[in-house]
């Protein structure tokens, strides 16, 4: 669903949202319209037909109780109530058509009546649960869009593509984070992974991204941005501990990139214990050299400050690929890790256009999911950036 579609869902009235909840779970559609009501209707018709065309010793009219139960599983409350009434009327009409000695009697009438009432109640409970689930998904989606804000095309002079896959599909948000922040001193890129899961990890990611967006814009030196991130992680951890939470050992791995203004062939890298970025381009695939530092929040374990800044040259057309451990630690059925570098290199040899950010992210996403059989053990983020205008001729996305 597009961003505009999601926003439309948030703005609709409660009545429209209720209709949408039901539509999400309708299994049969013809030309965009739900026809799930056909299932209980056909069931009712078949029961009445079979009961009418069999002998008096084989009566199945009491099976009308299943009609409302089927409607409760597929349809809305009012539709279920309608079928409960139809089932009861059908029972009375069909049973009355038989001689007295073959009639099912009042006991089955009470069964159909009670089954219809219980089915309506079950439908009400089911629809209420669906509404609540949709509401929670709206909250999760709003949280995701607040923390991981949408990035405009060409933001900060970078062609970029990103893919976030939460290990918990219902949560839609975990501890992975990323962003691009343009500013007067160049464009900065941040990708990281907060240790742990749950709302605590989301809060830490939001705190780090907030600091990055301010420091990445205002600070002239990327080393200062790195220092601000380290300080923010420690401050956030101290705050959660003061609240009595068990977040005292939380940390975050991250990679901070800087694209200096007016230097098209250079990138600055600060690594906080994260997977090193890959440079993917016409010359193949290579790991960026970096000085591995401690994760954010753990610099106090050493006498030094944040990790040093390393400046690296980029060849024309090279795309930087950054991933979280959801990619590098994806395992197949035999327990083997996904060979990211080798797989990307092989794809690049087959088709040089794989270096395009959009193609590259899509390739890594599909190959990771295929490697692990769709069973993600951790949140997975795939992020690719390249300076605009640096792509070699004929290597653009199609």
């Amino acid at each position: 669903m597009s961003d505009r579609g999601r926003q439309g869902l948030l703005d609709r009235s409660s009545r429209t949202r209720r209709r949408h909840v039901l539509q999400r779970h309708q299994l049969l559609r013809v030309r965009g319209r739900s026809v799930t009501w056909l299932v209980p209707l056909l069931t009712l018709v078949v029961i009445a037909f079979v009961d009418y065309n069999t002998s008096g010793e084989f009566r199945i009219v009491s099976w009308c109780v299943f009609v409302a139960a089927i409607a409760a599983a597929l349809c809305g409350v009012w539709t279920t109530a309608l079928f409960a009434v139809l089932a009861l009327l059908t029972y009375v009409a069909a049973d009355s058509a038989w001689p007295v000695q073959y009639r099912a009697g009042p006991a089955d009438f009470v069964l159909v009546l009670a089954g219809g009432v219980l089915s309506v109640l079950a439908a009400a409970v089911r629809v209420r649960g669906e509404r609540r689930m949709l509401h929670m998904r709206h909250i999760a989606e709003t949280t995701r869009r607040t923390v991981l804000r949408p990035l405009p095309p060409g933001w900060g002079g970078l062609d970029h593509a990103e893919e976030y896959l939460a290990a918990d599909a219902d949560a839609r948000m975990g501890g992975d984070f990323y962003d691009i922040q343009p500013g007067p001193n160049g464009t900065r890129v941040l990708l990281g992974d907060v240790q742990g899961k749950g709302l605590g990890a989301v809060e830490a990611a939001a705190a780090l991204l907030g600091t990055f967006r301010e420091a990445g814009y205002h600070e002239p030196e990327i080393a200062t941005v790195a220092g601000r991130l380290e300080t923010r992680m420690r401050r956030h951890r101290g705050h959660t501990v003061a609240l009595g939470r068990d977040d005292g050992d939380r940390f975050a791995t991250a990679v901070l990139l800087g694209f200096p203004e007016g230097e098209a062939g250079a990138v600055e890298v600060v690594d906080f214990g994260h997977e090193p970025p890959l440079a993917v381009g016409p010359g193949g695939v290579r790991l960026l050299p970096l000085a591995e530092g401690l994760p954010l929040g753990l610099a106090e374990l050493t006498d030094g400050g944040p990790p040093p800044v390393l400046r690296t040259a980029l060849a024309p057309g090279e795309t930087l690929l950054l991933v979280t451990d959801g990619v590098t630690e994806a395992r197949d059925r035999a327990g083997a890790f996904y060979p990211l570098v080798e797989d990307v290199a092989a794809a690049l040899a087959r088709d040089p256009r794989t270096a395009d950010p959009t193609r590259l992210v899509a390739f890594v996403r599909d190959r990771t999911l295929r490697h692990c059989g769709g069973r993600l053990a951790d949140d997975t983020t795939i992020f690719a950036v390249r300076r605009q205008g640096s792509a070699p001729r004929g290597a653009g996305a199609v």
Side-chain angles (χ1 to χ4, degrees):
M1 183 180 294
S2 65
D3 292 341
R4 181 178 298 177
R6 294 191 186 100
Q7 186 61 39
L9 286 177
L10 295 175
D11 295 337
R12 289 176 183 170
S13 65
S14 59
R15 180 178 299 178
T16 304
R17 288 199 302 268
R18 287 196 292 269
R19 290 199 302 267
H20 182 73
V21 171
L22 296 177
Q23 290 171 357
R24 291 171 63 89
H25 295 273
Q26 290 169 345
L27 304 179
L28 301 177
R29 303 184 72 83
V30 175
R31 295 183 179 180
R33 299 181 65 87
S34 170
V35 292
T36 50
W37 52 270
L38 281 175
V39 178
L41 179 61
L42 290 175
T43 304
L44 183 61
V45 170
V46 169
I47 290 174
F49 178 81
V50 172
D51 184 78
Y52 182 79
N53 289 278
T54 52
S55 64
E57 288 78 12
F58 184 76
R59 298 293 313 282
I60 65 169
V61 69
S62 59
W63 289 13
C64 286
V65 69
F66 297 124
V67 173
I70 294 173
L74 299 176
C75 306
V77 177
W78 288 109
T79 304
T80 302
L82 175 61
F83 275 108
V85 173
L86 287 176
L88 192 63
L89 294 177
T90 302
Y91 172 85
V92 173
D95 201 40
S96 300
W98 285 89
V100 176
Q101 65 269 27
Y102 295 121
R103 293 179 182 177
D108 285 352
F109 174 84
V110 173
L111 174 65
V112 176
L113 175 63
V117 173
L118 292 176
S119 295
V120 173
L121 293 176
V125 171
R126 191 200 95 233
V127 171
R128 182 178 180 181
E130 290 172 354
R131 292 173 186 165
R132 183 176 181 181
M133 178 181 66
L134 182 60
H135 179 65
M136 295 302 295
R137 290 199 174 194
H138 284 162
I139 293 176
E141 184 64 24
T142 302
T143 302
R144 187 191 70 82
R145 288 172 57 84
T146 301
V147 177
L148 300 179
R149 61 181 181 178
L151 298 174
W155 187 236
L158 300 177
D159 292 323
H160 62 83
E162 53 280 332
E163 187 78 38
Y164 177 83
L165 303 173
D168 183 352
D170 291 330
R172 297 192 178 187
M173 181 66 197
D176 289 5
F177 57 93
Y178 59 84
D179 202 1
I180 298 175
Q181 181 57 60
N185 304 291
T187 300
R188 276 74 186 263
V189 175
L190 178 68
L191 177 137
D193 181 7
V194 177
Q195 174 264 338
K197 298 182 181 295
L199 290 178
V202 176
E203 289 176 355
L208 290 171
L209 284 173
T211 297
F212 168 72
R213 289 162 186 166
E214 290 301 311
Y217 179 87
H218 291 288
E219 298 296 343
E221 300 295 333
I222 195 172
T224 307
V225 179
R228 292 276 298 274
L229 290 171
E230 172 64 30
T231 301
R232 186 68 182 94
M233 187 65 203
R234 288 186 306 204
R235 288 177 54 206
H236 175 77
R237 193 170 56 194
H239 177 259
T240 56
V241 170
L243 291 175
R245 290 162 43 178
D246 57 351
D247 290 5
D249 58 348
R250 193 180 295 279
F251 59 86
T253 63
V255 175
L256 176 63
L257 303 179
F259 294 87
E261 190 70 26
E263 300 183 44
V267 62
E268 298 171 322
V269 185
V270 183
D271 180 72
F272 296 94
H274 197 79
E275 302 286 341
L278 293 181
V280 182
V285 179
R286 62 187 177 94
L287 294 173
L288 288 189
L290 47 80
E292 295 185 2
L294 292 176
L296 289 166
L298 300 182
E300 59 190 9
L301 299 179
T302 64
D303 296 333
V309 178
L310 293 185
R311 178 182 287 262
T312 303
L314 289 180
E318 277 193 320
T319 297
L320 296 182
L321 175 65
L322 301 91
V323 300
T324 58
D325 54 10
V327 173
T328 56
E329 295 183 5
R331 295 174 181 263
D332 60 12
R333 293 184 180 275
F337 291 112
Y338 171 56
L340 174 63
V341 178
E342 294 80 1
D343 206 20
V344 172
L348 189 64
R350 292 190 300 268
D351 185 358
R353 294 178 300 175
T354 304
D356 175 79
T358 302
R359 287 176 174 267
L360 184 58
V361 168
F363 172 80
V364 175
R365 176 201 62 205
D366 295 343
R367 296 290 291 182
T368 300
L369 291 174
R370 181 179 300 179
H371 183 80
C372 66
R375 300 179 299 275
L376 294 173
D378 199 358
D379 297 331
T380 301
T381 298
I382 309 163
F383 195 43
V385 294
R386 180 174 64 189
R387 282 189 182 270
Q388 283 189 315
S390 67
R393 292 183 179 179
V398 176

